[in-house]
Amino acid sequence: MQSHADAQEPKKTLLDLIEETEKPKGRKDDAGKIDMTLLEDMPLALYAVAGVMQWACTQKQNPYERGSWQYVQPDRYRAAMLRHIFDAAREAKECNGKPAYMRDKESNLLHAAHAACSAMMHLELVLRELNESVQGYHIDLSE
């Protein structure tokens, strides 16, 4: 029979030792920063906008060079956005509001996707021109 003095604690494994050590506390200062994960709530819209941009760079009869939209006057995109909105409204009226028919004739993509893409391009250019913040948050693209 083994006495208490002879009894040994089981040897600790490396995993036991790691678990016993104090883990460093993670830290990320996000206070006052825009929560970009909010865009995750609308993946279909973001994919649709990216689809318009991809179509324009790859499948359009005379494709645009990627990024060339940045060198166009912002009002051209406002005009394009309005054209797509009005075309969608006209087609919806003609087709009893069936969204499947509210598509751009050239790309066969939804007018709403074209309008959203143009709106984002317009906004991006206006913000760059003004070097403004959005809702009081400074936009630092270097982060």
Side-chain angles (χ1 to χ4, degrees), residues 44-67:
L44 298 176
L46 294 173
Y47 271 97
V49 168
V52 168
M53 295 177 79
Q54 184 169 323
W55 168 83
C57 293
T58 61
Q59 298 171 350
K60 185 174 172 63
Q61 187 173 0
N62 186 12
Y64 297 126
E65 189 171 325
R66 182 182 178 140

mmCIF file with all atom_site columns, all heavy atoms in Angstrom, residues 44-67:
data_model
loop_
_atom_site.group_PDB
_atom_site.id
_atom_site.type_symbol
_atom_site.label_atom_id
_atom_site.label_alt_id
_atom_site.label_comp_id
_atom_site.label_asym_id
_atom_site.label_entity_id
_atom_site.label_seq_id
_atom_site.pdbx_PDB_ins_code
_atom_site.Cartn_x
_atom_site.Cartn_y
_atom_site.Cartn_z
_atom_site.occupancy
_atom_site.B_iso_or_equiv
_atom_site.pdbx_formal_charge
_atom_site.auth_seq_id
_atom_site.auth_comp_id
_atom_site.auth_asym_id
_atom_site.auth_atom_id
_atom_site.pdbx_PDB_model_num
ATOM 1   N N   . LEU A 1 44 ? -26.704 40.695 -51.061 1.00 0.00 ? 44 LEU A N   1
ATOM 2   C CA  . LEU A 1 44 ? -27.268 40.597 -52.404 1.00 0.00 ? 44 LEU A CA  1
ATOM 3   C C   . LEU A 1 44 ? -27.099 41.911 -53.163 1.00 0.00 ? 44 LEU A C   1
ATOM 4   O O   . LEU A 1 44 ? -26.734 41.919 -54.343 1.00 0.00 ? 44 LEU A O   1
ATOM 5   C CB  . LEU A 1 44 ? -28.739 40.195 -52.349 1.00 0.00 ? 44 LEU A CB  1
ATOM 6   C CG  . LEU A 1 44 ? -29.029 38.831 -51.719 1.00 0.00 ? 44 LEU A CG  1
ATOM 7   C CD1 . LEU A 1 44 ? -30.527 38.586 -51.641 1.00 0.00 ? 44 LEU A CD1 1
ATOM 8   C CD2 . LEU A 1 44 ? -28.335 37.719 -52.480 1.00 0.00 ? 44 LEU A CD2 1
ATOM 9   N N   . ALA A 1 45 ? -27.343 43.026 -52.480 1.00 0.00 ? 45 ALA A N   1
ATOM 10  C CA  . ALA A 1 45 ? -27.195 44.333 -53.121 1.00 0.00 ? 45 ALA A CA  1
ATOM 11  C C   . ALA A 1 45 ? -25.739 44.600 -53.479 1.00 0.00 ? 45 ALA A C   1
ATOM 12  O O   . ALA A 1 45 ? -25.442 45.101 -54.573 1.00 0.00 ? 45 ALA A O   1
ATOM 13  C CB  . ALA A 1 45 ? -27.735 45.433 -52.211 1.00 0.00 ? 45 ALA A CB  1
ATOM 14  N N   . LEU A 1 46 ? -24.823 44.261 -52.584 1.00 0.00 ? 46 LEU A N   1
ATOM 15  C CA  . LEU A 1 46 ? -23.403 44.486 -52.855 1.00 0.00 ? 46 LEU A CA  1
ATOM 16  C C   . LEU A 1 46 ? -22.926 43.612 -54.018 1.00 0.00 ? 46 LEU A C   1
ATOM 17  O O   . LEU A 1 46 ? -22.152 44.068 -54.873 1.00 0.00 ? 46 LEU A O   1
ATOM 18  C CB  . LEU A 1 46 ? -22.568 44.242 -51.602 1.00 0.00 ? 46 LEU A CB  1
ATOM 19  C CG  . LEU A 1 46 ? -22.816 45.238 -50.467 1.00 0.00 ? 46 LEU A CG  1
ATOM 20  C CD1 . LEU A 1 46 ? -22.086 44.818 -49.212 1.00 0.00 ? 46 LEU A CD1 1
ATOM 21  C CD2 . LEU A 1 46 ? -22.420 46.639 -50.888 1.00 0.00 ? 46 LEU A CD2 1
ATOM 22  N N   . TYR A 1 47 ? -23.391 42.368 -54.070 1.00 0.00 ? 47 TYR A N   1
ATOM 23  C CA  . TYR A 1 47 ? -23.045 41.498 -55.194 1.00 0.00 ? 47 TYR A CA  1
ATOM 24  C C   . TYR A 1 47 ? -23.628 42.045 -56.500 1.00 0.00 ? 47 TYR A C   1
ATOM 25  O O   . TYR A 1 47 ? -22.986 41.978 -57.549 1.00 0.00 ? 47 TYR A O   1
ATOM 26  C CB  . TYR A 1 47 ? -23.549 40.068 -54.966 1.00 0.00 ? 47 TYR A CB  1
ATOM 27  C CG  . TYR A 1 47 ? -22.559 39.197 -54.243 1.00 0.00 ? 47 TYR A CG  1
ATOM 28  C CD1 . TYR A 1 47 ? -22.646 39.001 -52.876 1.00 0.00 ? 47 TYR A CD1 1
ATOM 29  C CD2 . TYR A 1 47 ? -21.528 38.562 -54.934 1.00 0.00 ? 47 TYR A CD2 1
ATOM 30  C CE1 . TYR A 1 47 ? -21.731 38.203 -52.213 1.00 0.00 ? 47 TYR A CE1 1
ATOM 31  C CE2 . TYR A 1 47 ? -20.613 37.756 -54.279 1.00 0.00 ? 47 TYR A CE2 1
ATOM 32  C CZ  . TYR A 1 47 ? -20.720 37.582 -52.918 1.00 0.00 ? 47 TYR A CZ  1
ATOM 33  O OH  . TYR A 1 47 ? -19.805 36.797 -52.258 1.00 0.00 ? 47 TYR A OH  1
ATOM 34  N N   . ALA A 1 48 ? -24.843 42.588 -56.434 1.00 0.00 ? 48 ALA A N   1
ATOM 35  C CA  . ALA A 1 48 ? -25.470 43.142 -57.635 1.00 0.00 ? 48 ALA A CA  1
ATOM 36  C C   . ALA A 1 48 ? -24.675 44.342 -58.153 1.00 0.00 ? 48 ALA A C   1
ATOM 37  O O   . ALA A 1 48 ? -24.472 44.483 -59.368 1.00 0.00 ? 48 ALA A O   1
ATOM 38  C CB  . ALA A 1 48 ? -26.918 43.528 -57.351 1.00 0.00 ? 48 ALA A CB  1
ATOM 39  N N   . VAL A 1 49 ? -24.228 45.208 -57.252 1.00 0.00 ? 49 VAL A N   1
ATOM 40  C CA  . VAL A 1 49 ? -23.427 46.369 -57.657 1.00 0.00 ? 49 VAL A CA  1
ATOM 41  C C   . VAL A 1 49 ? -22.094 45.891 -58.249 1.00 0.00 ? 49 VAL A C   1
ATOM 42  O O   . VAL A 1 49 ? -21.663 46.369 -59.301 1.00 0.00 ? 49 VAL A O   1
ATOM 43  C CB  . VAL A 1 49 ? -23.200 47.334 -56.471 1.00 0.00 ? 49 VAL A CB  1
ATOM 44  C CG1 . VAL A 1 49 ? -22.139 48.371 -56.799 1.00 0.00 ? 49 VAL A CG1 1
ATOM 45  C CG2 . VAL A 1 49 ? -24.513 48.017 -56.106 1.00 0.00 ? 49 VAL A CG2 1
ATOM 46  N N   . ALA A 1 50 ? -21.451 44.942 -57.584 1.00 0.00 ? 50 ALA A N   1
ATOM 47  C CA  . ALA A 1 50 ? -20.192 44.402 -58.114 1.00 0.00 ? 50 ALA A CA  1
ATOM 48  C C   . ALA A 1 50 ? -20.428 43.734 -59.466 1.00 0.00 ? 50 ALA A C   1
ATOM 49  O O   . ALA A 1 50 ? -19.581 43.816 -60.366 1.00 0.00 ? 50 ALA A O   1
ATOM 50  C CB  . ALA A 1 50 ? -19.579 43.414 -57.123 1.00 0.00 ? 50 ALA A CB  1
ATOM 51  N N   . GLY A 1 51 ? -21.588 43.111 -59.627 1.00 0.00 ? 51 GLY A N   1
ATOM 52  C CA  . GLY A 1 51 ? -21.929 42.487 -60.904 1.00 0.00 ? 51 GLY A CA  1
ATOM 53  C C   . GLY A 1 51 ? -22.032 43.492 -62.032 1.00 0.00 ? 51 GLY A C   1
ATOM 54  O O   . GLY A 1 51 ? -21.598 43.238 -63.159 1.00 0.00 ? 51 GLY A O   1
ATOM 55  N N   . VAL A 1 52 ? -22.600 44.663 -61.740 1.00 0.00 ? 52 VAL A N   1
ATOM 56  C CA  . VAL A 1 52 ? -22.683 45.732 -62.739 1.00 0.00 ? 52 VAL A CA  1
ATOM 57  C C   . VAL A 1 52 ? -21.274 46.184 -63.115 1.00 0.00 ? 52 VAL A C   1
ATOM 58  O O   . VAL A 1 52 ? -20.949 46.332 -64.297 1.00 0.00 ? 52 VAL A O   1
ATOM 59  C CB  . VAL A 1 52 ? -23.517 46.923 -62.222 1.00 0.00 ? 52 VAL A CB  1
ATOM 60  C CG1 . VAL A 1 52 ? -23.363 48.135 -63.128 1.00 0.00 ? 52 VAL A CG1 1
ATOM 61  C CG2 . VAL A 1 52 ? -24.984 46.532 -62.102 1.00 0.00 ? 52 VAL A CG2 1
ATOM 62  N N   . MET A 1 53 ? -20.433 46.372 -62.112 1.00 0.00 ? 53 MET A N   1
ATOM 63  C CA  . MET A 1 53 ? -19.067 46.832 -62.382 1.00 0.00 ? 53 MET A CA  1
ATOM 64  C C   . MET A 1 53 ? -18.286 45.786 -63.179 1.00 0.00 ? 53 MET A C   1
ATOM 65  O O   . MET A 1 53 ? -17.558 46.122 -64.110 1.00 0.00 ? 53 MET A O   1
ATOM 66  C CB  . MET A 1 53 ? -18.355 47.169 -61.070 1.00 0.00 ? 53 MET A CB  1
ATOM 67  C CG  . MET A 1 53 ? -18.982 48.343 -60.334 1.00 0.00 ? 53 MET A CG  1
ATOM 68  S SD  . MET A 1 53 ? -18.211 48.691 -58.750 1.00 0.00 ? 53 MET A SD  1
ATOM 69  C CE  . MET A 1 53 ? -16.753 49.573 -59.306 1.00 0.00 ? 53 MET A CE  1
ATOM 70  N N   . GLN A 1 54 ? -18.466 44.520 -62.839 1.00 0.00 ? 54 GLN A N   1
ATOM 71  C CA  . GLN A 1 54 ? -17.768 43.455 -63.557 1.00 0.00 ? 54 GLN A CA  1
ATOM 72  C C   . GLN A 1 54 ? -18.262 43.366 -65.000 1.00 0.00 ? 54 GLN A C   1
ATOM 73  O O   . GLN A 1 54 ? -17.468 43.215 -65.926 1.00 0.00 ? 54 GLN A O   1
ATOM 74  C CB  . GLN A 1 54 ? -17.950 42.117 -62.844 1.00 0.00 ? 54 GLN A CB  1
ATOM 75  C CG  . GLN A 1 54 ? -17.164 41.000 -63.499 1.00 0.00 ? 54 GLN A CG  1
ATOM 76  C CD  . GLN A 1 54 ? -17.145 39.758 -62.650 1.00 0.00 ? 54 GLN A CD  1
ATOM 77  O OE1 . GLN A 1 54 ? -17.068 39.832 -61.433 1.00 0.00 ? 54 GLN A OE1 1
ATOM 78  N NE2 . GLN A 1 54 ? -17.207 38.607 -63.295 1.00 0.00 ? 54 GLN A NE2 1
ATOM 79  N N   . TRP A 1 55 ? -19.574 43.461 -65.195 1.00 0.00 ? 55 TRP A N   1
ATOM 80  C CA  . TRP A 1 55 ? -20.131 43.443 -66.549 1.00 0.00 ? 55 TRP A CA  1
ATOM 81  C C   . TRP A 1 55 ? -19.531 44.587 -67.379 1.00 0.00 ? 55 TRP A C   1
ATOM 82  O O   . TRP A 1 55 ? -19.131 44.386 -68.521 1.00 0.00 ? 55 TRP A O   1
ATOM 83  C CB  . TRP A 1 55 ? -21.662 43.564 -66.505 1.00 0.00 ? 55 TRP A CB  1
ATOM 84  C CG  . TRP A 1 55 ? -22.242 43.838 -67.847 1.00 0.00 ? 55 TRP A CG  1
ATOM 85  C CD1 . TRP A 1 55 ? -22.525 42.922 -68.819 1.00 0.00 ? 55 TRP A CD1 1
ATOM 86  C CD2 . TRP A 1 55 ? -22.573 45.120 -68.389 1.00 0.00 ? 55 TRP A CD2 1
ATOM 87  N NE1 . TRP A 1 55 ? -23.004 43.566 -69.935 1.00 0.00 ? 55 TRP A NE1 1
ATOM 88  C CE2 . TRP A 1 55 ? -23.041 44.912 -69.698 1.00 0.00 ? 55 TRP A CE2 1
ATOM 89  C CE3 . TRP A 1 55 ? -22.504 46.421 -67.894 1.00 0.00 ? 55 TRP A CE3 1
ATOM 90  C CZ2 . TRP A 1 55 ? -23.453 45.961 -70.520 1.00 0.00 ? 55 TRP A CZ2 1
ATOM 91  C CZ3 . TRP A 1 55 ? -22.912 47.461 -68.710 1.00 0.00 ? 55 TRP A CZ3 1
ATOM 92  C CH2 . TRP A 1 55 ? -23.381 47.223 -70.000 1.00 0.00 ? 55 TRP A CH2 1
ATOM 93  N N   . ALA A 1 56 ? -19.464 45.779 -66.788 1.00 0.00 ? 56 ALA A N   1
ATOM 94  C CA  . ALA A 1 56 ? -18.967 46.954 -67.505 1.00 0.00 ? 56 ALA A CA  1
ATOM 95  C C   . ALA A 1 56 ? -17.498 46.788 -67.912 1.00 0.00 ? 56 ALA A C   1
ATOM 96  O O   . ALA A 1 56 ? -17.079 47.331 -68.932 1.00 0.00 ? 56 ALA A O   1
ATOM 97  C CB  . ALA A 1 56 ? -19.139 48.205 -66.657 1.00 0.00 ? 56 ALA A CB  1
ATOM 98  N N   . CYS A 1 57 ? -16.734 46.033 -67.128 1.00 0.00 ? 57 CYS A N   1
ATOM 99  C CA  . CYS A 1 57 ? -15.303 45.852 -67.410 1.00 0.00 ? 57 CYS A CA  1
ATOM 100 C C   . CYS A 1 57 ? -14.997 44.627 -68.263 1.00 0.00 ? 57 CYS A C   1
ATOM 101 O O   . CYS A 1 57 ? -13.883 44.508 -68.785 1.00 0.00 ? 57 CYS A O   1
ATOM 102 C CB  . CYS A 1 57 ? -14.524 45.740 -66.103 1.00 0.00 ? 57 CYS A CB  1
ATOM 103 S SG  . CYS A 1 57 ? -14.518 47.252 -65.130 1.00 0.00 ? 57 CYS A SG  1
ATOM 104 N N   . THR A 1 58 ? -15.956 43.721 -68.392 1.00 0.00 ? 58 THR A N   1
ATOM 105 C CA  . THR A 1 58 ? -15.641 42.464 -69.088 1.00 0.00 ? 58 THR A CA  1
ATOM 106 C C   . THR A 1 58 ? -16.586 42.115 -70.227 1.00 0.00 ? 58 THR A C   1
ATOM 107 O O   . THR A 1 58 ? -16.160 41.531 -71.221 1.00 0.00 ? 58 THR A O   1
ATOM 108 C CB  . THR A 1 58 ? -15.636 41.281 -68.103 1.00 0.00 ? 58 THR A CB  1
ATOM 109 O OG1 . THR A 1 58 ? -16.928 41.152 -67.505 1.00 0.00 ? 58 THR A OG1 1
ATOM 110 C CG2 . THR A 1 58 ? -14.569 41.462 -67.024 1.00 0.00 ? 58 THR A CG2 1
ATOM 111 N N   . GLN A 1 59 ? -17.875 42.438 -70.091 1.00 0.00 ? 59 GLN A N   1
ATOM 112 C CA  . GLN A 1 59 ? -18.841 41.948 -71.068 1.00 0.00 ? 59 GLN A CA  1
ATOM 113 C C   . GLN A 1 59 ? -19.485 43.038 -71.908 1.00 0.00 ? 59 GLN A C   1
ATOM 114 O O   . GLN A 1 59 ? -20.087 42.741 -72.936 1.00 0.00 ? 59 GLN A O   1
ATOM 115 C CB  . GLN A 1 59 ? -19.943 41.146 -70.357 1.00 0.00 ? 59 GLN A CB  1
ATOM 116 C CG  . GLN A 1 59 ? -19.401 39.928 -69.654 1.00 0.00 ? 59 GLN A CG  1
ATOM 117 C CD  . GLN A 1 59 ? -20.441 39.270 -68.779 1.00 0.00 ? 59 GLN A CD  1
ATOM 118 O OE1 . GLN A 1 59 ? -21.511 39.796 -68.549 1.00 0.00 ? 59 GLN A OE1 1
ATOM 119 N NE2 . GLN A 1 59 ? -20.111 38.097 -68.273 1.00 0.00 ? 59 GLN A NE2 1
ATOM 120 N N   . LYS A 1 60 ? -19.371 44.256 -71.492 1.00 0.00 ? 60 LYS A N   1
ATOM 121 C CA  . LYS A 1 60 ? -19.945 45.364 -72.239 1.00 0.00 ? 60 LYS A CA  1
ATOM 122 C C   . LYS A 1 60 ? -19.349 45.366 -73.642 1.00 0.00 ? 60 LYS A C   1
ATOM 123 O O   . LYS A 1 60 ? -18.194 45.006 -73.834 1.00 0.00 ? 60 LYS A O   1
ATOM 124 C CB  . LYS A 1 60 ? -19.630 46.681 -71.505 1.00 0.00 ? 60 LYS A CB  1
ATOM 125 C CG  . LYS A 1 60 ? -20.256 47.913 -72.096 1.00 0.00 ? 60 LYS A CG  1
ATOM 126 C CD  . LYS A 1 60 ? -19.986 49.107 -71.180 1.00 0.00 ? 60 LYS A CD  1
ATOM 127 C CE  . LYS A 1 60 ? -20.421 50.405 -71.809 1.00 0.00 ? 60 LYS A CE  1
ATOM 128 N NZ  . LYS A 1 60 ? -21.839 50.500 -72.059 1.00 0.00 ? 60 LYS A NZ  1
ATOM 129 N N   . GLN A 1 61 ? -20.137 45.786 -74.632 1.00 0.00 ? 61 GLN A N   1
ATOM 130 C CA  . GLN A 1 61 ? -19.665 45.763 -76.017 1.00 0.00 ? 61 GLN A CA  1
ATOM 131 C C   . GLN A 1 61 ? -18.321 46.471 -76.169 1.00 0.00 ? 61 GLN A C   1
ATOM 132 O O   . GLN A 1 61 ? -17.430 45.994 -76.848 1.00 0.00 ? 61 GLN A O   1
ATOM 133 C CB  . GLN A 1 61 ? -20.710 46.388 -76.931 1.00 0.00 ? 61 GLN A CB  1
ATOM 134 C CG  . GLN A 1 61 ? -20.360 46.256 -78.399 1.00 0.00 ? 61 GLN A CG  1
ATOM 135 C CD  . GLN A 1 61 ? -21.484 46.728 -79.296 1.00 0.00 ? 61 GLN A CD  1
ATOM 136 O OE1 . GLN A 1 61 ? -22.528 47.147 -78.845 1.00 0.00 ? 61 GLN A OE1 1
ATOM 137 N NE2 . GLN A 1 61 ? -21.239 46.648 -80.587 1.00 0.00 ? 61 GLN A NE2 1
ATOM 138 N N   . ASN A 1 62 ? -18.184 47.621 -75.535 1.00 0.00 ? 62 ASN A N   1
ATOM 139 C CA  . ASN A 1 62 ? -16.913 48.347 -75.512 1.00 0.00 ? 62 ASN A CA  1
ATOM 140 C C   . ASN A 1 62 ? -16.531 48.484 -74.038 1.00 0.00 ? 62 ASN A C   1
ATOM 141 O O   . ASN A 1 62 ? -16.827 49.501 -73.416 1.00 0.00 ? 62 ASN A O   1
ATOM 142 C CB  . ASN A 1 62 ? -17.085 49.719 -76.184 1.00 0.00 ? 62 ASN A CB  1
ATOM 143 C CG  . ASN A 1 62 ? -15.782 50.459 -76.317 1.00 0.00 ? 62 ASN A CG  1
ATOM 144 O OD1 . ASN A 1 62 ? -14.721 49.884 -76.119 1.00 0.00 ? 62 ASN A OD1 1
ATOM 145 N ND2 . ASN A 1 62 ? -15.864 51.730 -76.630 1.00 0.00 ? 62 ASN A ND2 1
ATOM 146 N N   . PRO A 1 63 ? -15.869 47.456 -73.441 1.00 0.00 ? 63 PRO A N   1
ATOM 147 C CA  . PRO A 1 63 ? -15.637 47.433 -71.990 1.00 0.00 ? 63 PRO A CA  1
ATOM 148 C C   . PRO A 1 63 ? -14.842 48.622 -71.480 1.00 0.00 ? 63 PRO A C   1
ATOM 149 O O   . PRO A 1 63 ? -13.961 49.135 -72.161 1.00 0.00 ? 63 PRO A O   1
ATOM 150 C CB  . PRO A 1 63 ? -14.847 46.142 -71.777 1.00 0.00 ? 63 PRO A CB  1
ATOM 151 C CG  . PRO A 1 63 ? -15.035 45.338 -72.994 1.00 0.00 ? 63 PRO A CG  1
ATOM 152 C CD  . PRO A 1 63 ? -15.280 46.301 -74.113 1.00 0.00 ? 63 PRO A CD  1
ATOM 153 N N   . TYR A 1 64 ? -15.189 49.031 -70.267 1.00 0.00 ? 64 TYR A N   1
ATOM 154 C CA  . TYR A 1 64 ? -14.444 50.082 -69.583 1.00 0.00 ? 64 TYR A CA  1
ATOM 155 C C   . TYR A 1 64 ? -13.213 49.460 -68.952 1.00 0.00 ? 64 TYR A C   1
ATOM 156 O O   . TYR A 1 64 ? -13.211 48.293 -68.565 1.00 0.00 ? 64 TYR A O   1
ATOM 157 C CB  . TYR A 1 64 ? -15.295 50.709 -68.465 1.00 0.00 ? 64 TYR A CB  1
ATOM 158 C CG  . TYR A 1 64 ? -16.539 51.404 -68.935 1.00 0.00 ? 64 TYR A CG  1
ATOM 159 C CD1 . TYR A 1 64 ? -17.777 51.069 -68.413 1.00 0.00 ? 64 TYR A CD1 1
ATOM 160 C CD2 . TYR A 1 64 ? -16.480 52.404 -69.897 1.00 0.00 ? 64 TYR A CD2 1
ATOM 161 C CE1 . TYR A 1 64 ? -18.933 51.715 -68.824 1.00 0.00 ? 64 TYR A CE1 1
ATOM 162 C CE2 . TYR A 1 64 ? -17.633 53.053 -70.324 1.00 0.00 ? 64 TYR A CE2 1
ATOM 163 C CZ  . TYR A 1 64 ? -18.855 52.702 -69.783 1.00 0.00 ? 64 TYR A CZ  1
ATOM 164 O OH  . TYR A 1 64 ? -19.979 53.340 -70.201 1.00 0.00 ? 64 TYR A OH  1
ATOM 165 N N   . GLU A 1 65 ? -12.177 50.265 -68.788 1.00 0.00 ? 65 GLU A N   1
ATOM 166 C CA  . GLU A 1 65 ? -11.003 49.811 -68.064 1.00 0.00 ? 65 GLU A CA  1
ATOM 167 C C   . GLU A 1 65 ? -11.322 49.886 -66.574 1.00 0.00 ? 65 GLU A C   1
ATOM 168 O O   . GLU A 1 65 ? -11.939 50.850 -66.115 1.00 0.00 ? 65 GLU A O   1
ATOM 169 C CB  . GLU A 1 65 ? -9.810  50.703 -68.400 1.00 0.00 ? 65 GLU A CB  1
ATOM 170 C CG  . GLU A 1 65 ? -8.515  50.171 -67.872 1.00 0.00 ? 65 GLU A CG  1
ATOM 171 C CD  . GLU A 1 65 ? -7.321  50.941 -68.390 1.00 0.00 ? 65 GLU A CD  1
ATOM 172 O OE1 . GLU A 1 65 ? -7.361  51.382 -69.552 1.00 0.00 ? 65 GLU A OE1 1
ATOM 173 O OE2 . GLU A 1 65 ? -6.360  51.090 -67.612 1.00 0.00 ? 65 GLU A OE2 1
ATOM 174 N N   . ARG A 1 66 ? -10.913 48.873 -65.837 1.00 0.00 ? 66 ARG A N   1
ATOM 175 C CA  . ARG A 1 66 ? -11.176 48.846 -64.398 1.00 0.00 ? 66 ARG A CA  1
ATOM 176 C C   . ARG A 1 66 ? -10.675 50.129 -63.749 1.00 0.00 ? 66 ARG A C   1
ATOM 177 O O   . ARG A 1 66 ? -9.547  50.554 -63.965 1.00 0.00 ? 66 ARG A O   1
ATOM 178 C CB  . ARG A 1 66 ? -10.497 47.641 -63.763 1.00 0.00 ? 66 ARG A CB  1
ATOM 179 C CG  . ARG A 1 66 ? -10.775 47.537 -62.283 1.00 0.00 ? 66 ARG A CG  1
ATOM 180 C CD  . ARG A 1 66 ? -10.060 46.379 -61.663 1.00 0.00 ? 66 ARG A CD  1
ATOM 181 N NE  . ARG A 1 66 ? -10.331 46.360 -60.250 1.00 0.00 ? 66 ARG A NE  1
ATOM 182 C CZ  . ARG A 1 66 ? -10.548 45.264 -59.551 1.00 0.00 ? 66 ARG A CZ  1
ATOM 183 N NH1 . ARG A 1 66 ? -10.519 44.102 -60.134 1.00 0.00 ? 66 ARG A NH1 1
ATOM 184 N NH2 . ARG A 1 66 ? -10.793 45.336 -58.259 1.00 0.00 ? 66 ARG A NH2 1
ATOM 185 N N   . GLY A 1 67 ? -11.533 50.748 -62.941 1.00 0.00 ? 67 GLY A N   1
ATOM 186 C CA  . GLY A 1 67 ? -11.173 51.949 -62.201 1.00 0.00 ? 67 GLY A CA  1
ATOM 187 C C   . GLY A 1 67 ? -11.308 53.241 -62.989 1.00 0.00 ? 67 GLY A C   1
ATOM 188 O O   . GLY A 1 67 ? -11.148 54.320 -62.424 1.00 0.00 ? 67 GLY A O   1
#
